[in-house]
Each structure stands twice: as C-alpha cells, then as structure tokens.
Coordinates of all heavy atoms in Angstrom, one line a residue:
M222 N 0.8 -1.2 0.0 CA 0.0 0.0 0.0 C 0.9 1.3 0.0 O 0.4 2.3 -0.4 CB -0.9 0.0 1.2 CG -1.9 -1.2 1.3 SD -2.9 -1.3 -0.1 CE -4.3 -0.3 0.4
L223 N 2.1 1.1 0.5 CA 3.0 2.3 0.5 C 3.6 2.4 -0.9 O 3.8 1.4 -1.6 CB 4.0 2.2 1.6 CG 3.5 2.2 3.0 CD1 4.7 1.9 4.0 CD2 2.9 3.5 3.3
G224 N 4.0 3.6 -1.2 CA 4.8 3.8 -2.4 C 4.0 4.5 -3.5 O 4.6 5.4 -4.2
L225 N 2.8 4.2 -3.7 CA 2.0 4.9 -4.7 C 1.9 6.4 -4.5 O 2.1 7.1 -5.5 CB 0.6 4.3 -4.8 CG 0.4 3.1 -5.8 CD1 -1.1 2.7 -5.7 CD2 0.8 3.6 -7.2
A226 N 1.7 6.8 -3.3 CA 1.6 8.2 -3.0 C 2.9 8.9 -3.2 O 2.9 10.2 -3.3 CB 1.1 8.4 -1.6
A227 N 4.0 8.2 -3.3 CA 5.3 8.8 -3.3 C 5.8 8.9 -4.8 O 6.9 9.3 -5.0 CB 6.3 8.1 -2.5
T228 N 5.0 8.6 -5.7 CA 5.4 8.6 -7.1 C 5.8 10.1 -7.5 O 5.1 11.0 -7.1 CB 4.4 8.0 -8.0 OG1 4.9 8.2 -9.4 CG2 3.1 8.8 -7.9
M229 N 6.8 10.2 -8.3 CA 7.2 11.5 -8.7 C 6.5 12.0 -9.9 O 6.5 13.2 -10.2 CB 8.7 11.5 -9.0 CG 9.6 11.2 -7.8 SD 9.5 12.4 -6.5 CE 10.4 13.8 -7.3
A230 N 5.8 11.1 -10.6 CA 5.1 11.5 -11.9 C 3.9 12.3 -11.5 O 3.1 11.9 -10.7 CB 4.8 10.3 -12.7
P231 N 3.7 13.4 -12.2 CA 2.5 14.2 -11.9 C 1.3 13.4 -12.5 O 1.4 12.8 -13.5 CB 2.7 15.5 -12.7 CG 3.6 15.2 -13.8 CD 4.5 14.1 -13.2
V232 N 0.2 13.5 -11.8 CA -1.1 12.9 -12.2 C -1.7 13.7 -13.3 O -1.9 14.9 -13.1 CB -2.0 12.6 -11.1 CG1 -3.3 11.9 -11.5 CG2 -1.3 11.8 -10.0
L233 N -2.1 13.1 -14.4 CA -2.8 13.9 -15.4 C -4.1 13.2 -15.7 O -4.3 12.0 -15.7 CB -2.0 13.9 -16.7 CG -0.7 14.7 -16.7 CD1 0.1 14.5 -18.0 CD2 -1.0 16.1 -16.5
F234 N -5.1 14.1 -15.9 CA -6.5 13.6 -16.1 C -6.9 13.9 -17.5 O -6.7 15.1 -18.0 CB -7.4 14.3 -15.1 CG -7.1 13.9 -13.7 CD1 -6.4 14.8 -12.9 CD2 -7.6 12.8 -13.1 CE1 -6.1 14.5 -11.6 CE2 -7.3 12.5 -11.8 CZ -6.6 13.3 -11.0
K235 N -7.4 13.0 -18.2 CA -7.8 13.2 -19.6 C -9.2 13.9 -19.5 O -10.1 13.5 -18.8 CB -7.9 11.9 -20.4 CG -6.6 11.3 -20.7 CD -6.7 10.0 -21.4 CE -5.3 9.5 -21.7 NZ -5.3 8.1 -22.3
A236 N -9.3 14.9 -20.3 CA -10.6 15.7 -20.4 C -10.8 16.1 -21.8 O -9.9 16.1 -22.7 CB -10.5 16.9 -19.5
A237 N -12.1 16.5 -22.1 CA -12.4 17.0 -23.4 C -13.3 18.2 -23.2 O -14.1 18.3 -22.2 CB -13.1 15.9 -24.2
C238 N -13.3 19.1 -24.2 CA -14.1 20.3 -24.1 C -15.3 20.1 -25.0 O -15.2 19.8 -26.2 CB -13.3 21.5 -24.6 SG -14.2 23.0 -24.7
P239 N -16.5 20.3 -24.4 CA -17.7 20.2 -25.2 C -17.9 21.3 -26.2 O -18.7 21.2 -27.2 CB -18.8 20.1 -24.2 CG -18.3 20.9 -23.0 CD -16.8 20.6 -23.0
D240 N -17.2 22.4 -26.0 CA -17.4 23.6 -26.9 C -16.5 23.5 -28.1 O -17.0 23.6 -29.3 CB -17.0 24.9 -26.1 CG -18.1 25.3 -25.2 OD1 -19.2 24.6 -25.2 OD2 -17.9 26.2 -24.4
C241 N -15.2 23.3 -28.0 CA -14.4 23.2 -29.1 C -14.0 21.8 -29.5 O -13.2 21.6 -30.5 CB -13.1 24.1 -28.9 SG -12.0 23.5 -27.6
R242 N -14.4 20.8 -28.7 CA -14.2 19.4 -28.9 C -12.7 19.0 -28.9 O -12.4 17.9 -29.5 CB -14.8 19.0 -30.3 CG -16.3 19.2 -30.3 CD -16.9 18.9 -31.7 NE -18.3 19.0 -31.7 CZ -19.2 18.1 -31.4 NH1 -18.7 16.9 -31.0 NH2 -20.5 18.3 -31.4
S243 N -11.9 19.8 -28.3 CA -10.5 19.4 -28.2 C -10.3 18.5 -27.0 O -11.1 18.5 -26.1 CB -9.6 20.6 -28.1 OG -9.9 21.3 -27.0
R244 N -9.3 17.6 -27.1 CA -9.0 16.7 -26.0 C -7.6 17.1 -25.5 O -6.7 17.5 -26.2 CB -9.0 15.3 -26.5 CG -10.4 14.8 -26.9 CD -10.4 13.4 -27.5 NE -11.7 13.0 -27.8 CZ -12.5 12.4 -26.9 NH1 -12.1 12.2 -25.7 NH2 -13.8 12.1 -27.2
F245 N -7.4 16.9 -24.2 CA -6.2 17.3 -23.6 C -6.1 16.6 -22.2 O -7.0 16.0 -21.8 CB -6.2 18.9 -23.4 CG -7.5 19.4 -23.0 CD1 -8.0 19.4 -21.7 CD2 -8.3 20.0 -24.0 CE1 -9.2 19.9 -21.4 CE2 -9.6 20.5 -23.6 CZ -10.0 20.4 -22.3
E246 N -4.9 16.8 -21.6 CA -4.7 16.3 -20.3 C -4.4 17.4 -19.3 O -3.7 18.4 -19.6 CB -3.5 15.3 -20.3 CG -3.8 14.1 -21.1 CD -2.6 13.1 -21.0 OE1 -1.5 13.5 -20.8 OE2 -2.9 11.9 -21.1
L247 N -5.1 17.3 -18.2 CA -5.0 18.4 -17.2 C -4.3 17.8 -15.9 O -4.5 16.7 -15.5 CB -6.4 18.9 -16.8 CG -7.1 19.6 -18.0 CD1 -8.6 19.8 -17.5 CD2 -6.5 20.9 -18.3
S248 N -3.5 18.7 -15.3 CA -2.9 18.3 -14.1 C -3.9 18.5 -12.9 O -5.0 19.2 -13.1 CB -1.7 19.2 -13.8 OG -2.0 20.5 -13.6
A249 N -3.7 18.0 -11.8 CA -4.6 18.1 -10.7 C -4.9 19.5 -10.3 O -6.0 19.9 -9.9 CB -4.1 17.3 -9.5
S250 N -3.9 20.4 -10.5 CA -4.1 21.8 -10.1 C -5.0 22.5 -11.0 O -5.5 23.6 -10.7 CB -2.7 22.5 -10.0 OG -2.1 22.5 -11.2
A251 N -5.3 22.0 -12.2 CA -6.1 22.7 -13.2 C -7.6 22.3 -13.0 O -8.5 22.8 -13.7 CB -5.7 22.3 -14.6
L252 N -7.8 21.4 -12.1 CA -9.2 20.9 -11.9 C -9.7 21.3 -10.5 O -9.0 21.5 -9.6 CB -9.2 19.3 -12.0 CG -9.0 18.8 -13.4 CD1 -8.5 17.4 -13.3 CD2 -10.4 18.7 -14.2
R253 N -11.0 21.4 -10.5 CA -11.7 21.6 -9.2 C -12.8 20.6 -9.1 O -13.5 20.4 -10.0 CB -12.3 23.1 -9.2 CG -11.3 24.2 -9.1 CD -10.6 24.2 -7.8 NE -9.6 25.3 -7.7 CZ -8.4 25.2 -8.2 NH1 -7.9 24.1 -8.7 NH2 -7.5 26.2 -8.1
L254 N -13.0 20.1 -7.9 CA -14.1 19.2 -7.6 C -15.0 19.8 -6.6 O -14.5 20.2 -5.5 CB -13.5 17.9 -7.2 CG -14.5 16.8 -6.8 CD1 -15.3 16.3 -8.0 CD2 -13.7 15.6 -6.2
A255 N -16.3 19.7 -6.9 CA -17.3 20.2 -5.9 C -18.2 19.1 -5.5 O -18.8 18.4 -6.4 CB -18.1 21.4 -6.5
I256 N -18.2 18.8 -4.2 CA -19.1 17.7 -3.8 C -20.3 18.3 -3.0 O -20.1 18.9 -2.0 CB -18.3 16.7 -2.8 CG1 -17.1 16.1 -3.6 CG2 -19.2 15.6 -2.3 CD1 -16.2 15.2 -2.8
G257 N -21.4 18.0 -3.6 CA -22.7 18.5 -3.0 C -23.4 17.5 -2.3 O -22.9 16.4 -2.1
A258 N -24.6 17.8 -1.9 CA -25.4 16.8 -1.1 C -25.9 15.7 -1.9 O -26.2 14.6 -1.4 CB -26.5 17.6 -0.4
S259 N -26.0 15.9 -3.2 CA -26.6 14.9 -4.1 C -25.7 14.8 -5.3 O -24.8 15.5 -5.6 CB -28.0 15.2 -4.5 OG -28.0 16.3 -5.4
R260 N -26.0 13.7 -6.1 CA -25.3 13.6 -7.4 C -25.4 14.8 -8.3 O -24.5 15.1 -9.0 CB -25.8 12.3 -8.1 CG -25.3 11.0 -7.5 CD -26.1 9.8 -8.1 NE -25.5 8.6 -7.6 CZ -24.8 7.7 -8.3 NH1 -24.5 8.0 -9.5 NH2 -24.4 6.6 -7.7
R261 N -26.5 15.4 -8.3 CA -26.8 16.5 -9.2 C -25.9 17.7 -8.8 O -25.7 18.6 -9.7 CB -28.3 16.9 -9.1 CG -29.1 15.9 -9.8 CD -30.6 16.1 -9.5 NE -31.0 17.4 -10.0 CZ -32.2 18.0 -9.7 NH1 -33.0 17.3 -8.9 NH2 -32.5 19.2 -10.1
T262 N -25.5 17.8 -7.6 CA -24.7 18.9 -7.2 C -23.2 18.5 -7.0 O -22.4 19.3 -6.4 CB -25.2 19.6 -5.9 OG1 -25.4 18.6 -4.9 CG2 -26.6 20.2 -6.2
T263 N -22.8 17.4 -7.5 CA -21.5 16.9 -7.4 C -20.9 17.0 -8.8 O -21.4 16.3 -9.7 CB -21.3 15.5 -6.9 OG1 -21.9 15.5 -5.5 CG2 -19.9 15.1 -6.8
F264 N -19.9 17.8 -9.0 CA -19.3 18.0 -10.4 C -17.9 18.4 -10.3 O -17.4 18.8 -9.2 CB -20.1 19.1 -11.1 CG -20.2 20.4 -10.4 CD1 -19.2 21.4 -10.6 CD2 -21.2 20.7 -9.5 CE1 -19.2 22.6 -9.9 CE2 -21.2 21.9 -8.8 CZ -20.2 22.9 -9.0
Y265 N -17.2 18.3 -11.4 CA -15.9 18.8 -11.5 C -15.8 19.9 -12.6 O -16.6 19.9 -13.5 CB -14.8 17.7 -11.7 CG -15.0 17.0 -13.1 CD1 -14.1 17.3 -14.1 CD2 -15.8 15.9 -13.2 CE1 -14.2 16.7 -15.3 CE2 -15.9 15.3 -14.4 CZ -15.1 15.6 -15.5 OH -15.2 15.0 -16.6
S266 N -14.9 20.8 -12.5 CA -14.8 21.9 -13.5 C -13.4 22.2 -13.8 O -12.5 21.9 -13.1 CB -15.5 23.1 -12.9 OG -14.9 23.5 -11.7
F267 N -13.2 22.7 -15.0 CA -11.9 23.2 -15.5 C -12.1 24.2 -16.6 O -13.2 24.3 -17.1 CB -11.1 22.0 -16.0 CG -11.7 21.2 -17.1 CD1 -11.6 21.6 -18.4 CD2 -12.6 20.1 -16.8 CE1 -12.2 20.9 -19.4 CE2 -13.2 19.4 -17.8 CZ -13.0 19.8 -19.1
T268 N -11.0 24.9 -16.9 CA -11.1 25.8 -18.0 C -10.3 25.2 -19.2 O -9.2 24.8 -19.0 CB -10.4 27.1 -17.6 OG1 -11.0 27.7 -16.4 CG2 -10.4 28.1 -18.7
C269 N -11.0 25.2 -20.3 CA -10.4 24.6 -21.5 C -9.2 25.4 -21.9 O -9.2 26.6 -22.1 CB -11.4 24.6 -22.6 SG -10.7 24.1 -24.2
P270 N -8.0 24.7 -22.0 CA -6.8 25.4 -22.4 C -6.8 25.8 -23.9 O -6.0 26.6 -24.3 CB -5.7 24.3 -22.2 CG -6.4 23.0 -22.3 CD -7.8 23.3 -21.8
E271 N -7.7 25.3 -24.6 CA -7.8 25.7 -26.1 C -8.6 26.9 -26.3 O -8.2 27.8 -27.1 CB -8.3 24.5 -26.9 CG -7.4 23.2 -26.8 CD -6.1 23.5 -27.5 OE1 -6.0 24.2 -28.4 OE2 -5.1 22.9 -27.0
C272 N -9.8 26.9 -25.8 CA -10.7 28.0 -26.1 C -11.1 28.8 -24.9 O -11.8 29.9 -25.0 CB -12.0 27.5 -26.7 SG -13.1 26.5 -25.6
G273 N -10.6 28.4 -23.7 CA -10.9 29.2 -22.5 C -12.3 29.1 -21.9 O -12.6 29.8 -21.0
S274 N -13.0 28.1 -22.4 CA -14.4 28.0 -21.9 C -14.4 27.3 -20.6 O -13.5 26.4 -20.3 CB -15.2 27.1 -22.9 OG -16.4 26.8 -22.5
S275 N -15.3 27.7 -19.7 CA -15.4 27.0 -18.4 C -16.3 25.8 -18.6 O -17.4 25.9 -19.0 CB -16.1 28.0 -17.4 OG -15.2 29.0 -17.1
V276 N -15.8 24.7 -18.2 CA -16.5 23.4 -18.4 C -16.8 22.8 -17.1 O -16.0 22.8 -16.2 CB -15.6 22.4 -19.2 CG1 -16.3 21.1 -19.4 CG2 -15.2 23.0 -20.6
R277 N -18.0 22.4 -17.0 CA -18.5 21.8 -15.7 C -19.2 20.5 -16.1 O -20.1 20.4 -16.9 CB -19.5 22.7 -15.0 CG -20.0 22.1 -13.7 CD -21.1 23.0 -13.1 NE -20.5 24.2 -12.4 CZ -21.2 24.9 -11.6 NH1 -22.4 24.6 -11.3 NH2 -20.6 25.9 -11.0
K278 N -18.7 19.4 -15.4 CA -19.3 18.1 -15.7 C -19.7 17.4 -14.5 O -19.0 17.5 -13.4 CB -18.3 17.3 -16.5 CG -18.0 17.8 -17.9 CD -17.2 16.8 -18.7 CE -17.0 17.3 -20.1 NZ -16.2 16.4 -20.9
P279 N -20.7 16.6 -14.5 CA -21.1 15.8 -13.3 C -20.0 14.8 -13.0 O -19.4 14.2 -13.9 CB -22.4 15.1 -13.7 CG -22.4 15.1 -15.2 CD -21.6 16.3 -15.7
A280 N -19.8 14.6 -11.7 CA -18.8 13.6 -11.2 C -19.5 12.5 -10.5 O -20.1 12.7 -9.4 CB -17.8 14.3 -10.4
G281 N -19.4 11.3 -11.0 CA -19.9 10.1 -10.3 C -18.9 9.7 -9.2 O -17.8 10.3 -9.0
E282 N -19.3 8.6 -8.5 CA -18.5 8.2 -7.4 C -17.0 7.9 -7.8 O -16.1 8.2 -7.1 CB -19.1 7.0 -6.7 CG -20.2 7.3 -5.8 CD -20.8 6.1 -5.1 OE1 -20.0 5.1 -4.9 OE2 -22.0 6.1 -4.8
R283 N -16.9 7.2 -8.9 CA -15.6 6.8 -9.4 C -14.7 8.0 -9.7 O -13.5 8.0 -9.5 CB -15.7 5.8 -10.5 CG -16.3 4.5 -10.1 CD -16.1 3.5 -11.2 NE -14.7 3.2 -11.6 CZ -14.3 2.4 -12.6 NH1 -15.1 1.9 -13.3 NH2 -13.0 2.3 -12.8
I284 N -15.3 8.9 -10.4 CA -14.6 10.1 -10.7 C -14.2 10.9 -9.5 O -13.0 11.4 -9.4 CB -15.4 11.0 -11.7 CG1 -15.6 10.3 -13.0 CG2 -14.8 12.4 -11.9 CD1 -16.5 11.1 -14.0
V285 N -15.1 11.0 -8.5 CA -14.7 11.6 -7.3 C -13.5 11.0 -6.6 O -12.6 11.6 -6.2 CB -15.9 11.6 -6.3 CG1 -15.5 12.1 -4.9 CG2 -17.0 12.5 -6.8
E286 N -13.5 9.6 -6.6 CA -12.4 8.9 -6.0 C -11.1 9.2 -6.8 O -10.1 9.4 -6.2 CB -12.7 7.4 -6.0 CG -13.5 6.9 -4.9 CD -13.7 5.4 -5.0 OE1 -12.8 4.7 -5.5 OE2 -14.8 4.9 -4.5
L287 N -11.2 9.2 -8.1 CA -10.1 9.4 -8.9 C -9.5 10.8 -8.7 O -8.3 10.9 -8.6 CB -10.5 9.2 -10.4 CG -9.5 9.0 -11.5 CD1 -8.9 7.6 -11.3 CD2 -10.1 9.1 -12.8
L288 N -10.3 11.8 -8.7 CA -9.9 13.1 -8.6 C -9.3 13.4 -7.2 O -8.2 14.0 -7.1 CB -11.0 14.1 -8.9 CG -11.5 14.1 -10.3 CD1 -12.6 15.1 -10.5 CD2 -10.4 14.3 -11.3
T289 N -10.0 13.0 -6.2 CA -9.5 13.2 -4.8 C -8.2 12.5 -4.6 O -7.3 13.0 -4.0 CB -10.5 12.8 -3.7 OG1 -10.9 11.5 -3.9 CG2 -11.7 13.7 -3.8
G290 N -8.1 11.2 -5.1 CA -6.9 10.4 -5.0 C -5.7 11.1 -5.7 O -4.6 10.8 -5.4
G291 N -6.1 11.9 -6.8 CA -5.0 12.5 -7.6 C -4.6 13.9 -7.1 O -3.8 14.5 -7.7
G292 N -5.2 14.3 -6.0 CA -4.8 15.5 -5.4 C -5.6 16.8 -5.9 O -5.1 17.9 -5.7
V293 N -6.7 16.5 -6.5 CA -7.5 17.7 -7.0 C -8.1 18.4 -5.8 O -8.6 17.7 -4.9 CB -8.6 17.2 -8.0 CG1 -9.5 18.3 -8.4 CG2 -7.9 16.6 -9.2
R294 N -8.1 19.7 -5.9 CA -8.7 20.5 -4.8 C -10.2 20.2 -4.7 O -10.9 20.3 -5.8 CB -8.4 22.0 -5.0 CG -9.0 22.8 -3.9 CD -8.7 24.3 -4.1 NE -7.3 24.5 -3.9 CZ -6.7 25.7 -3.9 NH1 -7.5 26.8 -4.1 NH2 -5.4 25.9 -3.8
T295 N -10.7 19.9 -3.6 CA -12.1 19.5 -3.4 C -12.8 20.6 -2.6 O -12.3 21.0 -1.5 CB -12.2 18.2 -2.7 OG1 -11.5 17.2 -3.5 CG2 -13.6 17.7 -2.6
L296 N -14.0 20.9 -3.1 CA -14.8 21.9 -2.3 C -16.1 21.1 -1.9 O -16.8 20.6 -2.8 CB -15.2 23.1 -3.2 CG -16.1 24.1 -2.7 CD1 -15.5 24.9 -1.6 CD2 -16.6 25.0 -3.8
R297 N -16.3 21.2 -0.6 CA -17.6 20.5 -0.2 C -18.6 21.6 0.0 O -18.5 22.5 0.8 CB -17.3 19.8 1.1 CG -16.5 18.6 0.9 CD -16.4 17.6 2.1 NE -15.4 16.5 1.8 CZ -15.8 15.4 1.2 NH1 -17.1 15.2 0.9 NH2 -14.9 14.5 1.0
L298 N -19.7 21.4 -0.8 CA -20.7 22.4 -0.8 C -21.7 22.2 0.3 O -22.1 21.1 0.6 CB -21.5 22.3 -2.1 CG -20.7 22.5 -3.4 CD1 -21.6 22.3 -4.6 CD2 -20.1 23.9 -3.5
H299 N -22.1 23.3 0.9 CA -23.1 23.2 2.0 C -24.4 23.6 1.5 O -24.6 24.7 0.9 CB -22.7 24.1 3.2 CG -21.4 23.7 3.8 ND1 -21.3 22.7 4.7 CD2 -20.1 24.2 3.6 CE1 -20.0 22.6 5.1 NE2 -19.3 23.5 4.4
T300 N -25.3 22.7 1.6 CA -26.7 23.0 1.0 C -27.7 23.1 2.2 O -27.4 22.5 3.3 CB -27.1 21.9 0.0 OG1 -27.0 20.7 0.7 CG2 -26.2 22.0 -1.2
T301 N -28.7 23.8 1.9 CA -29.7 23.9 3.0 C -31.0 23.3 2.5 O -32.1 23.9 2.5 CB -30.0 25.4 3.3 OG1 -30.2 26.1 2.1 CG2 -28.7 26.0 3.9
V302 N -30.9 22.1 2.1 CA -32.1 21.3 1.6 C -32.9 20.9 2.8 O -32.4 20.2 3.7 CB -31.7 20.1 0.7 CG1 -33.0 19.3 0.4 CG2 -31.0 20.6 -0.5
Ligands
LIG168 ZN1 -12.6 24.3 -25.6

C-alpha cells in the first residue's frame, strides 16, 4: 500500500471540451471538484486550455475517488435542503 503516493510523476487527467471538442490532459491543479449533497450537485470543473471555456461536468463516485486520489482540490458544498 505504500509507495504509490510517493510517485514523482504528476497525475494527469484526460478531459475533453464540449465547446471546441479538443482533447487534452490536465494536471490536478487545473481541476476543481465540488461535492454537493446529491449527485446532481457533485461536479468537476476546469477551464479549457484551447478555447478558454469554463467546463462543468457531473462527477460520479468513481470520478470523485479518482480526482481526490489524484490531489485535485475539493470543495464541499453546504446546502440547505
Ligand atoms: Zn474548448
């Protein structure tokens, strides 16, 4: 179990832009993850390096695990439902 966290290679996440349809890889620092009270309010976001568009996509459980495990900054949303 030890060792993986000590890897020197930066973690890159593959992403695609729905606006300009370009594909690219983003480092953890380029991504933001917001975890809300429900699936509908749990999403990740990034700015497209090609066209500058702000992209927001829903994040399922596996994506949340992947992103948090990769060091993506996580914001926990407080809702008043
Ligand atoms: Zn784009």
Side-chain angles (χ1 to χ4, degrees):
M222 300 301 269
L223 294 173
L225 267 180
T228 178
M229 296 297 288
V232 180
L233 292 175
F234 299 94
K235 289 180 181 173
C238 175
D240 283 354
C241 67
R242 296 176 181 271
S243 62
R244 293 174 178 275
F245 37 81
E246 292 185 333
L247 296 170
S248 64
S250 61
L252 288 154
R253 292 288 181 275
L254 175 66
I256 298 179
S259 72
R260 283 169 177 251
R261 288 168 59 190
T262 53
T263 298
F264 57 87
Y265 65 97
S266 60
F267 57 87
T268 299
C269 174
E271 297 295 329
C272 70
S274 177
S275 290
V276 181
R277 179 185 283 197
K278 291 187 175 182
E282 281 181 31
R283 289 192 62 185
I284 293 177
V285 170
E286 278 183 28
L287 198 69
L288 295 181
T289 54
V293 173
R294 180 177 294 187
T295 303
L296 175 70
R297 291 189 184 272
L298 302 175
H299 296 279
T300 56
T301 54
V302 176

